[in-house]
């Protein structure tokens, strides 16, 4: 998820004075996840990184939270449910705090992703 970090850093340099940097960068990130190219990037990340992931790494919790955040905001809820399963309840403040209370956002999206799997045939 290094690309997400670089994207946020680049956008933070363009934030007007008086605007909370984290919030503005978060809104830009949400916009970034809304297109077809972003969905392709997210699918590719899941296929290449998660498929090859054999041993959890120290950075996984932060990276998986960024991936889950991107997936839910790209409308890829069944895929996000898989990532939430890997997280096993280990939320990070960033990126969930971009759209409100981090814990509430994490729980809300985790539940929505689980519901999407339950409603989608063949995803269980």
């Amino acid at each position: 998820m290094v690309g997400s970090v670089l994207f946020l850093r680049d956008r933070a340099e363009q934030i007007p004075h008086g605007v909370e940097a984290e919030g503005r960068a978060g809104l830009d990130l949400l916009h970034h996840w809304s297109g077809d190219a972003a969905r392709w990037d997210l699918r590719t990340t899941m296929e290449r990184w998660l498929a090859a992931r054999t041993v959890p790494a120290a950075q996984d919790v932060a990276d998986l939270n960024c991936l889950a955040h991107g997936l839910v905001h790209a409308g890829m809820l069944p895929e996000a449910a898989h990532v939430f399963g890997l997280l096993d309840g280990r939320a990070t403040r960033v990126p969930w705090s971009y759209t409100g209370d981090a814990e509430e956002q994490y729980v809300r999206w985790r539940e929505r992703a689980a519901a999407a799997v339950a409603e989608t045939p063949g995803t269980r």
Side-chain angles (χ1 to χ4, degrees):
M1 298 308 299
V2 172
S4 298
V5 174
L6 294 176
F7 176 80
L8 287 174
R9 187 193 67 208
D10 292 344
R11 294 301 297 158
E13 294 173 359
Q14 300 172 18
I15 296 170
H17 292 289
V19 175
E20 183 181 341
E22 182 179 292
R24 177 73 175 132
L27 291 175
D28 285 341
L29 183 60
L30 294 179
H31 177 73
H32 173 73
W33 293 132
S34 65
D36 290 336
R39 284 186 283 281
W40 184 88
D41 287 343
L42 290 162
R43 274 194 195 88
T44 301
T45 297
M46 287 194 67
E47 291 168 5
R48 293 183 182 165
W49 176 46
L50 295 183
R53 184 178 173 266
T54 56
V55 178
Q59 185 60 29
D60 280 359
V61 173
D63 289 344
L64 288 169
N65 273 276
C66 286
L67 180 57
H69 189 262
L71 289 166
V72 300
H73 288 287
M76 301 170 68
L77 295 178
E79 294 88 344
H82 175 70
V83 176
F84 281 118
L86 295 172
L87 282 166
D88 194 28
R90 297 172 295 165
T92 55
R93 187 178 65 79
V94 172
W96 303 104
S97 61
Y98 294 154
T99 53
D101 177 79
E103 184 177 356
E104 289 174 8
Q105 292 296 309
Y106 178 89
V107 170
R108 181 177 126 221
W109 283 110
R110 183 183 62 194
E111 290 173 356
R112 283 186 178 182
V117 169
E119 295 169 1
T120 305
T123 57
R124 290 184 184 188

